[in-house]
Amino acid sequence: QVQLVESGGGLVQAGGSLRLSCAASSRTINRYVMGWFRQARGKEREFVAAIRWSDGSKSHSDSVKGRFTISRDNAKNTAYLQMNSLKPEDTAVYYCAAYEDANIVLITDPRIFEYWGQGTQVTVSS
């Protein structure tokens, strides 16, 4: 079982930055892949980024590549999503999620992620 708690959302102007945090409860977090998804109003949940806890390998969606960066802090059992050059279209509820790693390519399908946080709102004003 993994419990995930996000923080760090808020309101920011276009071009600004925010850092989201996802604190994980599991002592065996190195067995998991952690990801960030977002869901804008009226739209489907969208993959943003993922990181394999054991070796730090990562993946970012094309829509955020070069602007967002996923990372992790082993000592704090916390994953981060650094978001720079924010755009109004980045406005959404952002969710942290995790699945038990099967040592294959990083999965981006939200249906595979077993554990989810409660979400944090990010609003980017123009």
Side-chain angles (χ1 to χ4, degrees), residues 1-4 32 96-100 112-117:
Q1 282 277 3
V2 181
Q3 291 185 328
L4 304 171
Y32 290 84
C96 176
Y99 69 87
E100 194 157 359
I112 303 302
F113 285 76
E114 304 166 88
Y115 306 101
W116 291 83

Side-chain angles (χ1 to χ4, degrees), residues 23-95:
S25 65
S26 175
R27 294 182 181 180
T28 59
I29 194 63
N30 62 329
R31 297 179 185 175
Y32 290 84
V33 170
M34 292 184 70
W36 287 97
F37 291 81
R38 65 186 182 186
Q39 189 165 18
R41 188 171 298 179
K43 295 189 175 181
E44 291 188 355
R45 194 163 293 189
E46 173 192 16
F47 169 77
V48 175
I51 188 166
R52 174 169 282 126
W53 204 272
S54 59
D55 65 7
S57 57
K58 55 187 76 172
S59 174
H60 298 82
S61 70
D62 288 342
S63 62
V64 306
K65 203 169 288 183
R67 300 188 299 123
F68 293 9
T69 303
I70 191 170
S71 63
R72 82 223 191 283
D73 184 327
N74 287 327
K76 296 182 178 180
N77 263 20
T78 299
Y80 301 99
L81 185 68
Q82 178 65 44
M83 304 185 295
N84 299 329
S85 303
L86 282 160
K87 305 174 183 180
E89 51 263 43
D90 294 318
T91 295
V93 177
Y94 283 71
Y95 296 91

